[in-house]
Amino acid sequence: MAPPKKSGRALLREEGLERTDNNLRTHSWPVIPMINQKNYYTEYLKREEQIMVFRQQQEDLLRAQAALLEKEKQVSMVADPMAMDIDRGAEEGEETAEQEEALGSKVIVIHTGSQNMRIGLASDALPRSFPNCIARKADKAEYEEEERCPKRMKVAEENEDSDDEGPQFGEEFDSQFNAMSNELKVRMRHNKRRILPNSRDLVLSYNRRTPPETIKEHNDPYRVEWTDTGRNKAPDHFVGNEALRVPDNSDPRYRLFWPIQYGTFNERDYHSKRRVLEDISVILEEGIKRELNIEKKDLKLYSAVLVVPDLYDKNYVTEMLNLLLKEFWFAQVCIIQESLAATFGAGFSQACIVDIGAQKTSVCCVEEGMCLAESRLNLKYGGRDVTIALMKMMLSYSFPYRDINLRRRYDFLLAEELKAKYATLNDSDISVQAHDFHLRAPEQDTKKYHFKTYDEVMLAPLTHFKPTILSHEEKLTGRRSLWERSYDLYDGQPNDPLSTAQHSLYQSLMPRPSSTGNDSTVNMGAITPARPTLAGFGGFGAHLTAADTTPRSSIAGSPAPEGTPAPPGTTTPLVPGPGGIPHPGSVGAPQPTGPTPMEQAEDRDRVVPIMPLDAAIVESITHAAKGEEKKIKDFLASIMVVGGGSLVSGFNHQLEERIRALKPSKDYQIIIGVPPRELDPMVIVWKGASVFGKLKISNDSWIRQNEYDILGSRLLTYKCLWTF
């Protein structure tokens, strides 16, 4: 007889498999239910009150309103309210004027240039300017270590003492120099200017056979007072004009340093970051103490307005901000861009600003108090390149002082003086003219040289429109040797600002690979850059370029057959396999290929950005207008040239003619404006920064000490008027 059947529960109980727990949890951690993905919402960083910077501004505003209400309550308690209203209005007017004056007197505006530094109180009419250089003790002076400037060829050095031929600077320079001279002759004939056929021969013969005159020191009324180094107690450094007047053969020796070059830190002549920042700190401290009579310990009561380039290195801005807040302990710091400051100084609401400095030229369009980001251009040439070009051209015409070397301080000052006196862009000034200058060197008698000039005084400043004749060999030396480029915190990509106008400039200058041979082994420095192409040159009206209006295919191309090896530098796309998992070697939808952002940044660091100035202005306006005809007309009619490089006589007229030649249509009125109220173009940027420092709206842009201690340079994202 078979045993009776048992239920499943009985079997579990007999075999010990029945669950006997009491539903107690095995842990004490709280169980968080899953978020319903269909309807969830967060307010994190969605309101300004959740950001410390904006919240602190609101708290300051509420405090000021509370103080004002308290003051009004005290006033309302007076017996005669009518009389008190009149008195209160008068007092408030007086207090407002006093507050504005007090605000300007407690704000120091700083504009650091490659050659000059301009500082001053915002309440001052004009800034104090001095050379942005420092002379420090060294084993050798700069002229003893570096090659002569302008650089001579070896063959020319052998023939330099002979009367047959002056120093030459290479066949390429001579050919471009002669081409520019012939173009000038054609231009002058077209303008009905008289030209002597043997003008160059007259200049050469006169300069070769005229010896200098020696003038004793007691007969020279304009003798130079050189800086006394003091052999026994020689100071460690000299700053500004004193540094430029230190004798080159002094005992002990001093070497001249320029901590700012081409709008950023000088990485060519320095070997450490700390020394660069220390020199900037010493120059700024000495300048504030001498020019403004303010001690460093009192700067905690002052605010600072820092002027930075339109296209800047982020490391430069963050290091300068840290220097002002942590080395000088300013109460607060505000940052403004050069082109925006120029419009504030000139009172323009819309303009195309062309800033010609000593070593860089920047072009940017400004509209309604904002720099149009895509129009910014930064060109690495300026007034100092014109000085070197003038010396080359004068030496080609047998300049009597053949041993001139801009590495020597007194020769550098002499060259700047000759450029300021004789450089011109007026056709009427071009003829064979006799001049003289005095060479004053330390511990030597003054020598008076007589010389003649012809067309070199006009061809030198014309290099702004033909920058390929300039020497750009050493402009990238030491680049990124001290400071690496700035990287994004999230994706690790380079994040220094780059406009579309500057990007198109780099693209036009990138070397073209040879048609024969392997493209991957092309030497970047051995290839002549491609000729710059202008966006929208065919017509300002429609769009940026003709290519932008043409429908284009995908940049990735068509997929290759399976098994075909991918070209170098590309990645093989993956397609989902079974279960949605991609398997290697599969070919599916094409992905964009080409150089990575890091490779593009490295390529840009190997190219010197140069372009004719007239073409650069057209390029900037084209990218700023984005095809709008009205904006193009407005910007072309409101071009303003500022900076020391624009002081050449006839520069604005020459620039206007060349821009009109690029676009001869009568629909566009081209006007090159000048700063109002007869302001010096060199100080217009500083003047605008001083105006900005006194505005009430600029309170939102101040970076205070307590905020910087918490967030550091990240504050620039919230405080700058532009996208940092």
Side-chain angles (χ1 to χ4, degrees):
M1 183 176 178
K5 288 180 113 183
K6 295 182 179 180
S7 65
R9 186 181 296 273
L11 288 173
L12 290 175
R13 186 167 52 250
E14 291 179 2
E15 296 179 7
L17 299 177
E18 185 179 8
R19 181 174 177 176
T20 60
D21 63 333
N22 53 1
N23 294 326
L24 292 177
R25 294 167 56 188
T26 59
H27 57 81
S28 60
W29 294 98
V31 178
I32 301 175
M34 297 293 292
I35 297 176
N36 187 352
Q37 298 292 328
K38 292 183 179 179
N39 50 4
Y40 74 93
Y41 179 75
T42 178
E43 292 186 353
Y44 178 65
L45 295 182
K46 291 293 182 65
R47 298 194 303 268
E48 291 186 352
E49 292 80 5
Q50 297 173 337
I51 300 176
M52 188 201 71
V53 176
F54 297 119
R55 186 171 63 249
Q56 189 168 2
Q57 292 174 1
Q58 293 296 329
E59 292 174 357
D60 294 342
L61 181 61
L62 291 175
R63 270 193 231 102
Q65 291 176 352
L68 182 61
L69 289 174
E70 184 67 23
K71 186 176 180 180
E72 289 180 353
K73 287 182 180 179
Q74 295 176 0
V75 171
S76 63
M77 295 174 64
V78 181
D80 190 0
M82 294 296 295
M84 276 309 301
D85 287 342
I86 298 174
D87 295 340
R88 183 178 62 182
E91 289 177 0
E92 288 180 355
E94 293 176 359
E95 289 178 359
T96 302
E98 291 177 358
Q99 288 175 359
E100 290 181 358
E101 184 179 357
L103 178 61
S105 62
K106 293 296 182 180
V107 176
I108 298 178
V109 182
I110 303 170
H111 184 198
T112 58
S114 301
Q115 185 162 318
N116 294 304
M117 177 176 286
R118 296 179 178 87
I119 60 173
L121 297 174
S123 57
D124 294 341
L126 295 173
R128 276 77 167 178
S129 300
F130 55 90
N132 191 10
C133 62
I134 182 171
R136 289 189 175 273
K137 284 184 179 179
D139 296 333
K140 295 181 180 180
E142 56 271 15
Y143 83 96
E144 296 174 326
E145 292 184 345
E146 301 182 16
E147 195 173 5
R148 283 197 300 177
C149 180
K151 181 180 178 181
R152 277 77 157 180
M153 306 296 290
K154 293 183 178 180
V155 177
E157 292 178 356
E158 298 174 357
N159 301 329
E160 190 171 347
D161 297 331
S162 66
D163 294 335
D164 297 335
E165 187 178 4
Q168 300 296 318
F169 303 97
E171 296 181 358
E172 184 178 357
F173 175 82
D174 290 341
S175 62
Q176 295 193 53
F177 182 31
N178 293 330
M180 292 179 65
S181 181
N182 294 331
E183 291 176 4
L184 181 60
K185 289 179 182 178
V186 174
R187 170 188 170 88
M188 294 185 67
R189 289 195 185 98
H190 178 72
N191 294 337
K192 303 296 190 291
R193 300 287 184 185
R194 183 182 177 186
I195 303 176
L196 295 177
N198 58 342
S199 298
R200 178 176 292 193
D201 296 335
L202 292 175
V203 172
L204 289 171
S205 61
Y206 182 86
N207 290 342
R208 287 171 180 170
R209 60 181 173 81
T210 305
E213 301 177 13
T214 302
I215 302 176
K216 296 298 182 181
E217 184 178 0
H218 61 274
N219 291 330
D220 185 8
Y222 302 103
R223 58 182 177 273
V224 177
E225 295 295 334
W226 302 98
T227 302
D228 185 12
T229 57
R231 297 185 179 180
N232 297 329
K233 297 181 179 180
D236 293 333
H237 63 266
F238 293 97
V239 173
N241 290 306
E242 290 185 357
L244 282 177
R245 292 299 183 184
V246 173
D248 295 88
N249 55 352
S250 62
D251 185 16
R253 286 283 197 275
Y254 283 83
R255 180 179 174 85
L256 198 66
F257 291 95
W258 303 83
I260 303 294
Q261 275 194 348
Y262 307 108
T264 186
F265 295 122
N266 181 4
E267 300 176 90
R268 173 180 174 267
D269 301 327
Y270 287 88
H271 301 289
S272 68
K273 297 180 183 179
R274 188 60 209 166
R275 178 48 64 91
V276 180
L277 298 175
E278 182 182 353
D279 283 358
I280 296 175
S281 177
V282 170
I283 295 172
L284 188 56
E285 180 183 353
E286 293 284 342
I288 292 176
K289 183 178 180 180
R290 294 180 185 178
E291 304 293 341
L292 305 181
N293 297 321
I294 300 175
E295 298 290 339
K296 186 177 181 180
K297 61 181 180 180
D298 299 329
L299 291 178
K300 63 180 68 175
L301 303 176
Y302 289 81
S303 304
V305 178
L306 176 65
V307 183
V308 299
D310 305 321
L311 274 180
Y312 50 84
D313 286 347
K314 285 196 173 183
N315 288 328
Y316 171 76
V317 179
T318 55
E319 291 285 2
M320 290 296 295
L321 176 63
N322 185 74
L323 183 72
L324 295 178
L325 286 174
K326 294 306 177 186
E327 292 288 337
F328 290 90
W329 291 100
F330 281 103
Q332 52 188 6
V333 177
C334 178
I335 300 177
I336 186 174
Q337 292 171 295
E338 288 177 343
S339 296
L340 180 58
T343 57
F344 271 98
F348 292 172
S349 61
Q350 185 179 35
C352 177
I353 304 299
V354 183
D355 189 355
I356 305 175
Q359 295 183 349
K360 72 173 181 63
T361 299
S362 61
V363 185
C364 179
C365 294
V366 182
E367 185 179 22
E368 299 297 336
M370 290 293 292
C371 291
L372 300 181
E374 304 304 337
S375 68
R376 295 174 294 177
L377 275 173
N378 192 314
L379 311 174
K380 300 301 183 184
Y381 62 83
R384 187 170 295 185
D385 295 275
V386 175
T387 304
I388 297 174
L390 179 62
M391 292 300 102
K392 284 185 175 182
M393 294 176 182
M394 295 178 78
L395 287 169
S396 299
Y397 282 173
S398 297
F399 187 60
Y401 180 36
R402 300 184 182 181
D403 194 34
I404 189 169
N405 181 11
L406 300 188
R407 304 292 185 192
R408 289 195 291 256
R409 295 149 206 167
Y410 59 88
D411 282 349
F412 171 74
L413 295 174
L414 173 64
E416 291 289 334
E417 180 185 355
L418 292 176
K419 182 186 71 172
K421 280 186 177 181
Y422 306 124
T424 180
L425 283 173
N426 293 322
D427 295 345
S428 57
D429 298 335
I430 303 305
S431 62
V432 178
Q433 299 182 15
H435 307 285
D436 60 71
F437 69 92
H438 293 79
L439 176 63
R440 297 179 175 90
E443 299 180 0
Q444 296 181 17
D445 291 333
T446 302
K447 292 184 178 181
K448 183 178 181 180
Y449 286 87
H450 299 272
F451 68 102
K452 284 187 177 182
T453 60
Y454 175 45
D455 58 355
E456 68 270 28
V457 294
M458 185 171 180
L459 296 180
L462 277 178
T463 53
H464 284 293
F465 310 105
K466 195 177 181 63
T468 53
I469 195 175
L470 302 173
S471 176
H472 307 286
E473 299 172 358
E474 300 180 355
K475 292 185 178 181
L476 297 179
T477 304
R479 181 68 169 155
R480 308 291 184 191
S481 60
L482 299 181
W483 277 274
E484 293 185 3
R485 63 175 57 86
S486 177
Y487 298 99
D488 190 86
L489 292 175
Y490 298 100
D491 57 12
Q493 300 297 340
N495 65 346
D496 281 329
L498 180 69
S499 64
T500 56
Q502 189 79 3
H503 180 70
S504 64
L505 169 61
Y506 278 118
Q507 290 295 325
S508 65
L509 294 175
M510 285 295 179
R512 293 177 178 173
S514 175
S515 58
T516 59
N518 189 2
D519 294 346
S520 61
T521 60
V522 172
N523 185 2
M524 293 285 292
I527 301 178
T528 304
R531 184 177 183 83
T533 58
L534 297 182
F537 233 36
F540 284 99
H543 293 284
L544 296 181
T545 59
D548 291 334
T549 61
T550 305
R552 60 183 71 179
S553 59
S554 171
I555 59 175
S558 303
E562 185 174 355
T564 304
T570 61
T571 58
T572 304
L574 302 177
V575 296
I581 302 174
H583 57 82
S586 63
V587 179
Q591 296 181 356
T593 59
T596 63
M598 180 68 67
E599 294 172 347
Q600 293 178 3
E602 292 176 353
D603 290 341
R604 288 194 296 268
D605 285 344
R606 291 193 289 265
V607 177
V608 181
I610 58 170
M611 176 183 279
L613 184 58
D614 51 347
I617 295 173
V618 173
E619 182 86 355
S620 176
I621 292 176
T622 304
H623 284 268
K626 297 182 179 179
E628 295 186 23
E629 193 76 13
K630 185 179 182 301
K631 283 189 177 182
I632 293 172
K633 292 181 179 179
D634 292 341
F635 284 127
L636 286 175
S638 58
I639 300 173
M640 186 174 67
V641 184
V642 299
S646 65
L647 295 177
V648 179
S649 176
F651 185 87
N652 290 356
H653 179 69
Q654 185 75 223
L655 179 61
E656 183 179 337
E657 284 188 356
R658 289 183 173 268
I659 296 177
R660 185 172 287 108
L662 291 179
K663 190 63 179 177
S665 175
K666 296 181 180 179
D667 297 336
Y668 304 106
Q669 185 181 11
I670 300 169
I671 299 176
I672 309 294
V674 295
R677 299 181 297 276
E678 298 182 355
L679 283 174
D680 189 348
M682 291 192 297
V683 303
I684 193 68
V685 173
W686 182 93
K687 187 65 177 176
S690 68
V691 172
F692 180 76
K694 293 184 289 186
L695 293 177
K696 293 183 180 180
I697 62 170
S698 62
N699 291 337
D700 297 341
S701 302
W702 291 111
I703 300 175
R704 299 174 178 86
Q705 286 281 353
N706 57 347
E707 299 172 345
Y708 188 78
D709 291 338
I710 298 174
L711 293 179
S713 60
R714 288 176 291 174
L715 274 170
L716 293 169
T717 305
Y718 304 106
K719 294 291 190 175
C720 289
L721 294 179
W722 66 95
T723 303
F724 184 78

